[in-house]
C-alpha cells in the first residue's frame, strides 16, 4: 500500500488541477464542514421537480441514475481511501463535490434531464458492479484499491469536462450534442471507464471463487431425505401475486416476468392437462430404466443430455409428462431453500399454446428459454437474484444463442441442478430448428468443459436425432419409446377397446373377438398409439366379424398412419360434394398454418368470406370432416378446432415436397367430360351384354357422381392465400362486417406474420398481384385504416417489423403490377413511399391525417384515447427516424405512463394537420379527455374549460369536466365533488329535456347514468338523504338494475342504516325475474366476486343480529348457481366464490358446532372442483389458504397429541401435495399444484401449530429450512438480496415464538438508497402512547408485540419521522383492511400470527379489533405481532452492521452466529 500511495496521490492532484482549469473551481478548497453527501446531491435534484414539471419523467430517471451513482461512490470510496489519504478530503468526497458542481451547472442551463440520465446511467452501471466488492477488498487488495481510485478520478474528470461544455453552450437552445461528442474529451473518459469495467470483469472470477469457498463453510448440507417428499411446486404465481399482501418479492417477480416477456402460464396448464390424462401407473418402466435413472439423479452429472425418440403417436408428450411428474415428486419445487434443484419444462405444441386474443406466433425456442428461466426463478432464490441483475443491466438479450448463454449457461452452478425438458420440437422448421441444434451443441460443449449442473431432456423424431448425431461429437443416450411402452400400450388397447359399443355386450363370441383385436393390435402397433386409435376408430364402425378382423390384419401387414390418412382423404373425395371439399380444404389450410389455434367462430368467419352457409360448422365437421378434423368437447362456438393427428399436416407437406423433387404438377382427377368420353369409347368397343356383366355401367355411374374437386392443401402458397383473405376482410370485401369480425381480428394481429413468410420468388404470381392493390387500400382508405387500427393491443404505428413486411411487398414489382389509380395515387403513391428517406413513417401519411381528425372529433372517451395512442406511436416513430437517440417505443404504453409533454408533442402534430379545427369545442374537449385519462387532471380541467368558453352549452364538455373534477391521481388535486355536481346538474337538466349528450345514446339511458353518478357523489359529500332519494327514484324506474341496488346498499351501510339493507333483502327474496330466478339469488350471483358487497352485507346482518338469515341467503344462492347447466369457467368461479364466502361466515360466526363442519366441507368441495380446472385458480387459491387455516385451528383446539390433530395436519399437507397415491380416483395427483400456498407458508402453518402446542422440536423441524435459507442469503456476497434473508428469518422466528429475534430481523428491512436531507424527515409529533401507557390500537406500550411481554423500552425512546412514507424500500405490501396504505419496508404495522399475509395499519387494526371489518378479513381474536415505526437510529445501526435485539445492540455476525447455534446449524 505504501509503495502505491504516491502514485495515486499524484493522480488525484492532477485530477483536481485539471478540474480547476476547466471550471475555475478548486475542489481542494472545499471546507471539511461543507463536505457533500449523497443526500445533498439528492436534494439538488428534488429541488428541480417544481421548476420543470413538464419533464418530470426525464428528471425522475436522472435522479435514479445519479442516486445509484452516488451510493456507489460512497461505497467504492471506502476502498479507495485505503490507497490515497488526501489532506483536502477523501476520494469519495472529492468525487461527490465534482458531481454536485456539475448538477448545479446543469440546472442553470435547464432541460438537460435526458442528458444527465444518459451520462450517469452509463456511469452507474459500472459503479454498481464494482461496489459489491467493498466487503472483500482484502482478497485482491492492490488491484481493488487502485481500480477504485481510478474510477473516482475518471468521474471527477468527466464532471469537469461537462461543466466546461455547459458553460460554453449556455446560449444554445438545445444541448443534445455537447455532452457526448468527441469534442472536449468526455467520450475519451467514458471509454476509459469502460476499460476499467473490463479490468473489473477479470478480477470478478477470483473474487467469486474466494467468496464461494467462504460460503461453503457456512452452509449446512441438506439431508438425503428430500427425495421422499412427495409434492410439487407447480404454482399459479399470477394469482398468488394478487393475494399476497406481504409479497414484496412479487414486485421483483413481476418485473422479471415482464422483462422475460412471459405472457401466460399455458405450459403449466398443458402439463396439468396431460398429467390428468395419465393413468395411475403410467410409464412405470421409467423406474427400471437405467438411462433415465442416471439422467434424473441430481447428484450424477455424467449424462447431461437424454433424448426420447419416437415418431408421432409413440407417446413422447405422454412420457415427458410422466417424467415431469416423477421429477416434481422427487425434487419438490417452490421451497425457495438452498437445495437448488429446479425442474423446468416447456411444450412447443401450437394447439392450445397461446391465448387466442394475444397470440404472437407459433412454437419458439426463445419462448422455451424464457419459460425455463421463469420456472427456475420461482424455485431458486439465488438464480432469481442473478437473473434480476442481468435483466436490469441488459433487458434485450439478442438472439437465441445469447439468450441461452445469459439465461442458462452463464447461470449454471455446480451447487445447483437445473432439469430442462422440451417437447414438441417437430413443430419447429427452418430457423427455429437450426437454433435448437445450435443450442444443444452449445450445451454439450459447455458440459465438455464442466460448466455446471444442467440436465437437458428433449423428445424427438428420428430425423432430428440423426441431425444431432451428425453435429454433436459426443455420444448421448437415446430411449427408443417403440421398445419401452409395451405395458402402457396393452393398457391403452384394452381400455379403448372396452369403450367401443360393439364390445360392450357380454357375449362370449364378442369378448373373444375383442381379445383377438387386442392381441392383434398389440402385435401390429409397434409402439404407435395413434395407429391403434385409427384402427379402433375404424373397427368401431364395422358391422361384422370379418370386417373387424380385416382391419387388424391390415395393421399387421404394415399399415401406418400415412396409409390411414390417405384412406380418409380418399373417402372424403368420394363422399363430399364440391362445396364441402372446398370448405374442408380451407379449414385444413387455416388449421395447419394459422398463427394461433383457431376456434369455431374464427373458421365460421373465414368461411363466410367465401360463401355463407346455413348449416352450423360444428355439425359439418363432426358429421363429414371428422376423419381429418376434430373439435374439443367445449360447448358453443368457442370450441377449439384442430387436426385429428399432427401427421395430417406432414402428409400434405410431404406431398408438396415430393412435387418439388419431381418437378411435376400433381395429376388432377379426370373431369366429368373426360369420364363420359372414355365411357362412350368403351360402349363402342364392347357389346351391351358384356358391358353390363363386367359392371362398366355401375363403375361409370359412380365416377360421374363424384365431384371434380379433391381434398388438398396448397402448401406452397398457403401464407399468400391467408394474407390475401386477411386483406380482403380488412379492406371491406364483405356484405356484413359482423360476420367477418373474427377474420378481421385475426388479420389485424397476424397479417404481417403471413406477409413475412411469403417467398416472393416462388409464390403464385396471381396471388401476389391480388395482394398489391389491397395493401395500398389498407393504408390509404379511411375505413380500412380504421378497421386495421381498432385494437389498442395491436397498433401498427408501434409494430416496426410489420411495417417492414408491408414495405417488402410494395418493393416487389410482381406485387404492385396491378395497382392503379389517378395521378398521385396508385403507382405514384407506392413509388413515393418506397423512395422516401423514412418509408416506415411515410407509409402512415394518409393514416395520420385521418387519425388526427378522429382523435379530435370522436365522442367516446375510450375511442378518443385509442386514436391518441395510434398518433403517439406515429409521433415516436417519426422522432426516432429523425433522431435515433430518441428511444423507440414498440408497444402502446399504459395511459398513466404518458407524460403531459408527450401529449403536447402529439397535439403539435395534430395542430399542423388540422389547422383551426384544433380550437373547436369538441377538439378542446377531446384534448382535455386525453389529459384526464392519462392522469394529468389540471391540464384536463384547463382544456375542458376552454371548450366551455367556446360553447357554454356543450354537454360533452360539461360531462367531461365533471368526471375530471372527481378523478383521483397520485400527484393530482383532490377530487372536488361540489364542482363535479355543478357541471353534472347542468347536463342533467338538458338531458331531461330530451337533448342527447352522445349521439348514439338515448336521453333516457344517459339520464340514468348521470343520476347514478350524482347519487354516488352526493354520498361522497355526506349528503346521504339526497343520495338515498336519487337511488330510490332510479330503482323505481329501473327495478332490474343490480348495479343501482348495490350502490344503494353501500350507501346505507356507510350511514349504518342496516335495517333498511335487511328489508331490501327480504323484499327481493319474495320476487322472481323474467327468467324465473329468485331476485335475491341473482343479486348474490352477479356480485359473487365483489368483496365489498360481501363485507357490506355481512356488517348489515351482523349489526341487526340476523347473521343466521344471511347464511340462508347464501345457501339459497349456491343452490341456484349449482343448477345452471353450463361448463363455462365463469359459472364455476361464481359458484366457488359463493361457497368461499359462506364457509368463512359459517366458520368464524358459527351458530352451531355443525356449521364449522359445513364450512370445511364447502371449501373441500371447492378444492375438488378447482383442482380439475386450471381456469378457476383465484377462488381455488383463496379456498386453499382459508381451508389450511381452518385445519390448523381445528388441530390446535383438539388435544395434543390426538387422532383429530393428526388428521387435520395431514389435511394441511394434502392441500400442498394432493391426496395419497391410492386415492388418485379423486383427480388429486400427488404432485398437484399447491393452490397458491408456498412450501414456506405450509411449513409456517405447521410450525405455528407446533409452537402453540409447545412442541418446540417439531416446530423447529418445520421452520429450520427457512432459517437456513435466510442465513444463506445473508452469507453470500450480494447485499441486494439481504432483505430476503431477513424476511425469511423474521417469518420463521416469529412463528417459532422468538419475538425479540424476529423483530430484530424484520427491522433490518429498511429504506434503500440515499436518504433525503434530515430536514425533509419531519419529526413525528404523534405520541406512541398516552398517559395510561396504552397505544391507540389498544395494545400495551411495554410489549414488543401483542402477545409477548418482552420489554420495548429501547424502542420507545427512538425518534420517528412523518416523512418516512416517501422513502422506498425493497418490498411491496399493503394493508389488509383495504385502506390503501402500502409499505416497502417494515414500519409501524400489525402482523397476524395465524393468517397468511394479514397486515394492518393502526386505524384498520382498531376496526378489526372492534369487529368492523369484513367477515373474510382475518379475525379479531387472533394474536398479532407489532412492528414499531422505522427510525433513523435503526438505519444507522444497519450501516454499521449492527442490530437491536430486545434492548441489546449486537454485531450482525454475532447475532447470526447465535441464531445458528440455537437452531443447530453450526458446523460440526
Amino acid at each position: 500500500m505504501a509503495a502505491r500511495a504516491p502514485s495515486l496521490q499524484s493522480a488525484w492532484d492532477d485530477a483536481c488541477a485539471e478540474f480547476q482549469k476547466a471550471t475555475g473551481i478548486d475542489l481542494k478548497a472545499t471546507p471539511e464542514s461543507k463536505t457533500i453527501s449523497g443526500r445533498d446531491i439528492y436534494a439538488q435534484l428534488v429541488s428541480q421537480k417544481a421548476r420543470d414539471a413538464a419533464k418530470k419523467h426525464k428528471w425522475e430517471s436522472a435522479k435514479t441514475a445519479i442516486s445509484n451513482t452516488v451510493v456507489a461512490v460512497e461505497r467504492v470510496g471506502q476502498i479507495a481511501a485505503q490507497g490515497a489519504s488526501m489532506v483536502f478530503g477523501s476520494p469519495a468526497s472529492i468525487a461527490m463535490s465534482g458531481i454536485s458542481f456539475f448538477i448545479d451547472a446543469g440546472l442553470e442551463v435547464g432541460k438537460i434531464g435526458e442528458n444527465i440520465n444518459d451520462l450517469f446511467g452509463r456511469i452507474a452501471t459500472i459503479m454498481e458492479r464494482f461496489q459489491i466488492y467493498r466487503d472483500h477488498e482484502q482478497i485482491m487488495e492492490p488491484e481493488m484499491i487502485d481500480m477504485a481510485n481510478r474510477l473516482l478520478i475518471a468521474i471527477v474528470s468527466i464532471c469537469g469536462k461537462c461543466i466546461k461544455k455547459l458553460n460554453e453552450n449556455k446560449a444554445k437552445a438545445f444541448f443534445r450534442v455537447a455532452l457526448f461528442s468527441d469534442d472536449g474529451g468526455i467520450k475519451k473518459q467514458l471509454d476509459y471507464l469502460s476499460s476499467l469495467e473490463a479490468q473489473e470483469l477479470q478480477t470478478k472470477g477470483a473474487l467469486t471463487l474466494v467468496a464461494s469457498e467462504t460460503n461453503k463453510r457456512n452452509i449446512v448440507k441438506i439431508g438425503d431425505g428430500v427425495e421422499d417428499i412427495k409434492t410439487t411446486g407447480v404454482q399459479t404465481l399470477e394469482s398468488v401475486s394478487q393475494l399476497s399482501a406481504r409479497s414484496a418479492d412479487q414486485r421483483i417477480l413481476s418485473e422479471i416476468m415482464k422483462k422475460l416477456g412471459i405472457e401466460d402460464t399455458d405450459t403449466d396448464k398443458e402439463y396439468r392437462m396431460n398429467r390428468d390424462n395419465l393413468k395411475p401407473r403410467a410409464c412405470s418402466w421409467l423406474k427400471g430404466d437405467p438411462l433415465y435413472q442416471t439422467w434424473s439423479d441430481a447428484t450424477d452429472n455424467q449424462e447431461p443430455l437424454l433424448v426420447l425418440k419416437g415418431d408421432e403417436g409413440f407417446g413422447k408428450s405422454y412420457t415427458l409428462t410422466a417424467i415431469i411428474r416423477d421429477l416434481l415428486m422427487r425434487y419438490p419445487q417452490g421451497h425457495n431453500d438452498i437445495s437448488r434443484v429446479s425442474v423446468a419444462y416447456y411444450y412447443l405444441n401450437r394447439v392450445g399454446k397461446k391465448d387466442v386474443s394475444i397470440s404472437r406466433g407459433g412454437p419458439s425456442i426463445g419462448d422455451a428459454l424464457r419459460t425455463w428461466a421463469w420456472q427456475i426463478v420461482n424455485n431458486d432464490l439465488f438464480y432469481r437474484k442473478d437473473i434480476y441483475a442481468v435483466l436490469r443491466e441488459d433487458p434485450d438479450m439478442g438472439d437465441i444463442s445469447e439468450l441461452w448463454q445469459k439465461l442458462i449457461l452463464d447461470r449454471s452452478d455446480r451447487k445447483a441442478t437445473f432439469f430442462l425438458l422440451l417437447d414438441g420440437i417437430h413443430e419447429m422448421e427452418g430457423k427455429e430448428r437450426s437454433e435448437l441444434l445450435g443450442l444443444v451443441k452449445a450445451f454439450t460443449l459447455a458440459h465438455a468443459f464442466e460448466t455446471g449442473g444442467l440436465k437437458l431432456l428433449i423428445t424427438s423424431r428420428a430425423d432430428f436425432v440423426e441431425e444431432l448425431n451428425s453435429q454433436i461429437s459426443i455420444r448421448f443416450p437415446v430411449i427408443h419409446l417403440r421398445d419401452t411402452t409395451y405395458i402402457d400400450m396393452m393398457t391403452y388397447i384394452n381400455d379403448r377397446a372396452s369403450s367401443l359399443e360393439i364390445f360392450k355386450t357380454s357375449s362370449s363370441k364378442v369378448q373373444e373377438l375383442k381379445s383377438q383385436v387386442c392381441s392383434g393390435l398389440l402385435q401390429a402397433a409397434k409402439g404407435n398409439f395413434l395407429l391403434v386409435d385409427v384402427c379402433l376408430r375404424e373397427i368401431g364402425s364395422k358391422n361384422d366379424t370379418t370386417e373387424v378382423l380385416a382391419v387388424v390384419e391390415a395393421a399387421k401387414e404394415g399399415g401406418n398412419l400415412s396409409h390411414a390418412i390417405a384412406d380418409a382423404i380418399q373417402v372424403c373425395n368420394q363422399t363430399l360434394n364440391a362445396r364441402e371439399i372446398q370448405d374442408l380444404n380451407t379449414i385444413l389450410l387455416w388449421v395447419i398454418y394459422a398463427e394461433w389455434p383457431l376456434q369455431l367462430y374464427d373458421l365460421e368467419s373465414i368461411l363466410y368470406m367465401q360463401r355463407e352457409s346455413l348449416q352450423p360448422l360444428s355439425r359439418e365437421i363432426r358429421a363429414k370432416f371428422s376423419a381429418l378434423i376434430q373439435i374439443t368437447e367445449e360447448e358453443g362456438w368457442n370450441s377449439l378446432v384442430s387436426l385429428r393427428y399432427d401427421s395430417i399436416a406432414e402428409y400434405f407437406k410431404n406431398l408438396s415436397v415430393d412435387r418439388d423433387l419431381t418437378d411435376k404438377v400433381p395429376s388432377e382427377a379426370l373431369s366429368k367430360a373426360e369420364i363420359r368420353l372414355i365411357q362412350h369409347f368403351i360402349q363402342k368397343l364392347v357389346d351391351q351384354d358384356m358391358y353390363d356383366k363386367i359392371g362398366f355401367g355401375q363403375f361409370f355411374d359412380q365416377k360421374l357422381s363424384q365431384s371434380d374437386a379433391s381434398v388438398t392443401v396448397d402448401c406452397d402458397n398457403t401464407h399468400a392465400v391467408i394474407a390475401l383473405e386477411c386483406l380482403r376482410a380488412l379492406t371491406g370485401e364483405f356484405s356484413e362486417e359482423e360476420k367477418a369480425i373474427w377474420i378481421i381480428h385475426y388479420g389485424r394481429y397476424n397479417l404481417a406474420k403471413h406477409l413475412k413468410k411469403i417467398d416472393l420468388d416462388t409464390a403464385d404470381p396471381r396471388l401476389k398481384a391480388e395482394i398489391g392493390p389491397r395493401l395500398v387500400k389498407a393504408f390509404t382508405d379511411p375505413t380500412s385504416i380504421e378497421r386495421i387500427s381498432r385494437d389498442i393491443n395491436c397498433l401498427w404505428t408501434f409494430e416496426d417489423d410489420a411495417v417492414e413486411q408491408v414495405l417488402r411487398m410494395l418493393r416487389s414489382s410482381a406485387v404492385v403490377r396491378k395497382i392503379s389509380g389517378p395521378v398521385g395515387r396508385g403507382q405514384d403513391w407506392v413509388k413515393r413511399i418506397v423512395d422516401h428517406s423514412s418509408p416506415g413513417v411515410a407509409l402512415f401519411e394518409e393514416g395520420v391525417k385521418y387519425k388526427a381528425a378522429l382523435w379530435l372529433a370522436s365522442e367516446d372517451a375510450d375511442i378518443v384515447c385509442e386514436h391518441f395512442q395510434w398518433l403517439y406511436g406515429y409521433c415516436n416513430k417519426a422522432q426516432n427516424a429523425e433522431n435515433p437517440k430518441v428511444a423507440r417505443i414498440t408497444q402502446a404504453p399504459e395511459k398513466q405512463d404518458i407524460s403531459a409533454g408527450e401529449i403536447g408533442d402529439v397535439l403539435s402534430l395534430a395542430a399542423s394537420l388540422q389547422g383551426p379545427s384544433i380550437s373547436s369545442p369538441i377538439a378542446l374537449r377531446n384534448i382535455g379527455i386525453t389529459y384526464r385519462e392519462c392522469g394529468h387532471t389540471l391540464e384536463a380541467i384547463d382544456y375542458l374549460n376552454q371548450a366551455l368558453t367556446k360553447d357554454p352549452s356543450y354537454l360533452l364538455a360539461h360531462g367531461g369536466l365533471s368526471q375530471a373534477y372527481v378523478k383521483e391521481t397520485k400527484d393530482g388535486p383532490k377530487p372536488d365533488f361540489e364542482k363535479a355536481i355543478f357541471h353534472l346538474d347542468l347536463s342533467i337538466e338538458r338531458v331531461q329535456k330530451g337533448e342527447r349528450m352522445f349521439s348514439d345514446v338515448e336521453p333516457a339511458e344517459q339520464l340514468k347514468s348521470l343520476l347514478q353518478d350524482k347519487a354516488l357523489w352526493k354520498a361522497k359529500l355526506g349528503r346521504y338523504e339526497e343520495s338515498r332519494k336519487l337511488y330510490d327514484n332510479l330503482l323505481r324506474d329501473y327495478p332490474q338494475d343490480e348495479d343501482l341496488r348495490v350502490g344503494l346498499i353501500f350507501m346505507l351501510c356507510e350511514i349504518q342504516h342496516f335495517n333498511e339493507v335487511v328489508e331490501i333483502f327480504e323484499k327481493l327474496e319474495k320476487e322472481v325475474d323474467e327468467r324465473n330466478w329468485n331476485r335475491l339469488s341473482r343479486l348474490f350471483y352477479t356480485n359473487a366476486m365483489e368483496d365489498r358487497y360481501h363485507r357490506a352485507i355481512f356488517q348489515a346482518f351482523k349489526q341487526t343480529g340476523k347473521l343466521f338469515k344471511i347464511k340462508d341467503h347464501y345457501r339459497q344462492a349456491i343452490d341456484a348457481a349449482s343448477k345452471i347447466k353450463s361448463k363455462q369457467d365463469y359459472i364455476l368461479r361464481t359458484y366457488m366464490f359463493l361457497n368461499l364466502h359462506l364457509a368463512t361466515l359459517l366458520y368464524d360466526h358459527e351458530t352451531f358446532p355443525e356449521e364449522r363442519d359445513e364450512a370445511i366441507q364447502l371449501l373441500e368441495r371447492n378444492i375438488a372442483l378447482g383442482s380439475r380446472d386450471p381456469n378457476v385458480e383465484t377462488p381455488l387459491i383463496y379456498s386453499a389458504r382459508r381451508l389450511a387455516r381452518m385445519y390448523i385451528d381445528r388441530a390446535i383446539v383438539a388435544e395434543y397429541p390426538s387422532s383429530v390433530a393428526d388428521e387435520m395436519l395431514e389435511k394441511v399437507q394434502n392441500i400442498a401435495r394432493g391426496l395419497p397415491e391410492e386415492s388418485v380416483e379423486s383427480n388429486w395427483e400427488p404432485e398437484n399444484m399447491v393452490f397458491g400456498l408456498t412450501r414456506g407458508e405450509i411449513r409456517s402453518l405447521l410450525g405455528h401449530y407446533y409452537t402453540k402446542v409447545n412442541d418446540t422440536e417439531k416446530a423447529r423441524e418445520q421452520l429450520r429450512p427457512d432459517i437456513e435459507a435466510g442465513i444463506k442469503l445473508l452469507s453470500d456476497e450480494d447485499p441486494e438480496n439481504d432483505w430476503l434473508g431477513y424476511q425469511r428469518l423474521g417469518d420463521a422466528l416469529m412463528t417459532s415464538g422468538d419475538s425479540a429475534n424476529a423483530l430484530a430481523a424484520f427491522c433490518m428491512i429498511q429504506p434503500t438508497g440515499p436518504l433525503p436531507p434530515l430536514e425533509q424527515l419531519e419529526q413525528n409529533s404523534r405520541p406512541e402512547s398516552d398517559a395510561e401507557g396504552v397505544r391507540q390500537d389498544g395494545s400495551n406500550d411495554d410489549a414488543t408485540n401483542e402477545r409477548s411481554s418482552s420489554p420495548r423500552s429501547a424502542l420507545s425512546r427512538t425518534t420517528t419521522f412523518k416523512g418516512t412514507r416517501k422513502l422506498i424500500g425493497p418490498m411491496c405490501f399493503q394493508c389488509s383492511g383495504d385502506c390503501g396504505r402500502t409499505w416497502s419496508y417494515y414500519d409501524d404495522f400489525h402482523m397476524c400470527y395465524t393468517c397468511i399475509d394479514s397486515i394492518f395499519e393502526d386505524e384498520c387494526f382498531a376496526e378489526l379489533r372492534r369487529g368492523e371489518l369484513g367477515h373474510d378479513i382475518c379475525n379479531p381474536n387472533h394474536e398479532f405481532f407489532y412492528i414499531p415505526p422505522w427510525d433513523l437510529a435503526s438505519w444507522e445501526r444497519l450501516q454499521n452492521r449492527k442490530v437491536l435485539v430486545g434492548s441489546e445492540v449486537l454485531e450482525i455476525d454475532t447475532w447470526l452466529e447465535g441464531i445458528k447455534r440455537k437452531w443447530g446449524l453450526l458446523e460440526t
Side-chain angles (χ1 to χ4, degrees), residues 1321-1330 1336 1356 1358-1364 1388 1402 1429-1430:
L1321 296 176
E1322 181 185 350
Q1323 291 196 13
N1324 189 348
S1325 59
R1326 178 177 66 85
E1328 293 191 31
S1329 59
D1330 60 17
Q1336 293 182 357
S1356 63
T1358 59
T1359 303
T1360 61
F1361 297 93
K1362 283 182 178 177
T1364 55
D1388 194 18
D1402 278 352
W1430 175 85

Side-chain angles (χ1 to χ4, degrees), residues 519-528 531-532 535 552 554-559:
S519 61
L521 289 180
L522 186 60
Q523 179 184 345
K526 299 173 184 176
N528 194 328
L531 178 60
V532 169
C535 292
V552 176
K556 287 182 182 180
E557 291 171 5

Side-chain angles (χ1 to χ4, degrees), residues 312-313 521 524-526 528-536 555 558-561 564 645:
E312 185 187 6
L521 289 180
K526 299 173 184 176
N528 194 328
F529 290 86
L530 276 185
L531 178 60
V532 169
D533 182 68
V534 170
C535 292
L536 287 172
N560 57 41
L561 213 51
Y645 317 109

Side-chain angles (χ1 to χ4, degrees), residues 712-727:
T712 187
V713 176
D714 183 4
C715 297
D716 297 326
N717 292 295
T718 182
H719 294 292
V721 170
I722 294 176
L724 180 58
E725 287 302 300
C726 290
L727 282 167

